[in-house]
Amino acid sequence: MAGSIYGKLFTISTWGESHGKALGVVVDGCPAGIPLCEEDIQIYLNRRKPGQNQYSTQRNESDTVEILSGVFEGKTTGTPISMLVRNQDQHSKDYGDIAVSYRPGHADYCFDEKFGFRDYRGGGRSSGRETIGRVAAGAIAAKVLKTMGIELTAYTSSIGEYSIDYKNFDKAEILENPLYMPDKACSQAAGKYLTEIIKDLDSIGSSVECIITGMPVGVGEPVFSKLDALLAQGIMSIGAVKAVEIGDGTLASKSKGSVNNDEFTVIDGLVTKTTNHAGGILGGMSDGTPIKVKASFKPTPSIYKEQHTINNQHKEITMSIKGRHDPIIGPRAVVVVEAMCAITILDLLMINATSKIDNLLKIYNK
């Protein structure tokens, strides 16, 4: 199975299945000398682990990370960093019925057609638990970025028809409510709505935004490796993401050039813009203003309502999915979006280091 490696210089390779013995990631290309311990990783993993509240699957996993290599005496060595999280509460028997049938909205049919065989326990590699490796790697990337003054803030921006009011935006509120929303009133209203969705044995879609500040100008390659293109690739690779927007996103298609163009200005000797419709990216490169990325998640496909489908003999059947599932994906995916943004940006920053001869001279001229 190809396609489990992401990045060019700062690369990650995730491995493992939802109901296997463990999941993890190998991070290669991480610079040496970065202080790193398991607690640095655990803080991020705790934000995505299951069973934290009534709005997430009640699968009981501690998601405790083990660093197996690449760290010595509390610092990265420059060699591959391998990290592992063991599965502890998998109920594979819950998935016996889908061994020969295809769940609506899932990749079951596609796996059978592609490989002629599949791990049906919780979806195998298609499970949301695959994102454990991404988050662990993203924790490292975010720590490196922070030393450079670059910070990422991700949050749930909408749940169904409930969208945050940016006038009420409170960064401190994100980690204070179970839905990771920066608007307390919206979080409370969305929570009540989500409770009704759960009672109705259904699920709901959501969106997650990530704001990146402190970015230098010129990060990203102008043609195929544009910053926005690679951010979109990284985020679209997260299961259940159906759309990615940068800045105004689809609203730009309804705008006029005179409105959409961000005019440049100089404040206190620094170049900036009067607006930020572009979301901090121009011509595939960062422009120095905050980068805004939005990911739209479809409703969780595993629902308890009876649905029409087929089995692997292509016979028409009805099924009601068993097991423990999230009624919404967005809140637990907030940290996953943040992680993929961090990994993408760090990789491009490392590539960007070779864009000028002056950069090489600073390193190698004695």
Side-chain angles (χ1 to χ4, degrees):
M1 179 181 183
S4 291
I5 301 173
Y6 181 75
K8 291 184 178 179
L9 295 184
F10 184 88
T11 66
I12 71 168
S13 178
T14 69
W15 56 268
E17 295 80 34
S18 176
H19 286 232
K21 291 184 177 180
L23 304 99
V25 63
V26 176
V27 177
D28 204 0
C30 182
I34 299 165
L36 187 69
C37 64
E38 287 164 344
E39 181 58 28
D40 294 326
I41 312 300
Q42 197 63 52
I43 291 171
Y44 280 75
L45 288 175
N46 287 346
R47 291 166 58 192
R48 72 149 303 284
K49 74 178 181 180
Q52 297 187 72
N53 55 65
Q54 69 270 36
Y55 306 124
S56 69
T57 171
Q58 294 307 297
R59 180 169 173 169
N60 185 22
E61 297 281 0
S62 66
D63 284 354
T64 302
V65 68
E66 301 173 41
I67 298 178
L68 305 180
S69 66
V71 177
F72 180 64
E73 294 183 343
K75 292 185 178 181
T76 57
T77 62
T79 59
I81 302 170
S82 182
M83 294 177 283
L84 172 150
V85 170
R86 301 181 189 278
N87 285 323
Q88 300 170 320
D89 188 35
Q90 60 270 55
H91 292 181
S92 298
K93 66 180 185 300
D94 290 341
Y95 297 90
D97 292 345
I98 68 167
V100 294
S101 58
Y102 302 133
R103 295 169 295 174
H106 279 274
D108 302 339
Y109 170 69
C110 301
F111 261 89
D112 265 0
E113 289 295 304
K114 180 177 178 67
F115 297 106
F117 179 77
R118 65 185 166 95
D119 183 348
Y120 56 82
R121 304 166 303 167
R125 284 291 284 165
S126 292
S127 168
R129 282 191 68 72
E130 179 274 334
T131 62
I132 282 174
R134 299 168 185 249
V135 173
I140 297 174
K143 184 163 190 179
V144 177
L145 293 175
K146 192 170 184 177
T147 66
M148 303 170 67
I150 299 170
E151 295 196 8
L152 301 91
T153 302
Y155 50 86
T156 304
S157 55
S158 71
I159 292 175
E161 296 298 320
Y162 292 85
S163 298
I164 62 170
D165 184 342
Y166 291 95
K167 295 178 182 178
N168 298 331
F169 192 100
D170 181 0
K171 183 177 178 180
E173 182 64 27
I174 297 172
L175 298 179
E176 293 298 320
N177 66 75
L179 298 178
Y180 294 97
M181 296 185 112
D183 178 348
K184 185 175 182 178
C186 184
S187 173
Q188 292 174 342
K192 291 179 181 178
Y193 172 66
L194 193 51
T195 298
E196 294 304 313
I197 291 291
I198 295 170
K199 288 179 181 178
D200 198 33
L201 306 181
D202 216 333
S203 63
I204 192 67
S206 51
S207 66
V208 172
E209 291 179 347
C210 185
I211 307 296
I212 305 147
T213 58
M215 281 289 288
V217 179
V219 177
E221 304 303 310
V223 185
F224 295 116
S225 295
K226 287 179 166 66
L227 173 55
D228 41 358
L230 293 183
L231 283 171
Q233 179 189 346
I235 294 172
M236 282 294 291
S237 72
I238 301 169
V241 173
K242 303 305 291 184
V244 176
E245 299 179 68
I246 309 293
D248 282 0
T250 57
L251 290 178
S253 67
K254 302 175 183 179
S255 186
K256 296 179 180 179
S258 57
V259 175
N260 185 252
N261 288 342
D262 299 312
E263 297 181 340
F264 287 100
T265 187
V266 176
I267 299 177
D268 296 330
L270 298 176
V271 175
T272 186
K273 302 182 305 184
T274 57
T275 55
N276 192 20
H277 298 292
I281 302 174
L282 292 171
M285 298 170 284
S286 55
D287 64 23
T289 58
I291 294 171
K292 182 180 179 181
V293 187
K294 180 179 180 180
S296 295
F297 287 84
K298 71 177 184 179
T300 314
S302 292
I303 59 175
Y304 300 114
K305 283 180 177 289
E306 189 172 83
Q307 300 176 87
H308 183 88
T309 187
I310 61 172
N311 61 24
N312 59 4
Q313 300 300 310
H314 294 186
K315 302 294 185 182
E316 306 277 336
I317 62 170
T318 58
M319 70 182 305
S320 178
I321 296 174
K322 299 177 182 178
R324 298 163 294 175
H325 309 287
D326 293 282
I328 185 172
I329 295 171
R332 286 185 62 208
V334 164
V335 70
V336 185
V337 171
E338 185 176 315
M340 291 309 298
C341 287
I343 292 164
T344 301
I345 287 170
L346 179 57
D347 190 36
L348 282 171
L349 278 164
M350 294 171 73
I351 293 170
N352 200 54
T354 63
S355 63
K356 296 178 183 178
I357 186 62
D358 290 353
N359 295 346
L360 295 176
L361 294 176
K362 287 177 184 178
I363 298 172
Y364 295 110
N365 263 15
K366 297 182 180 179

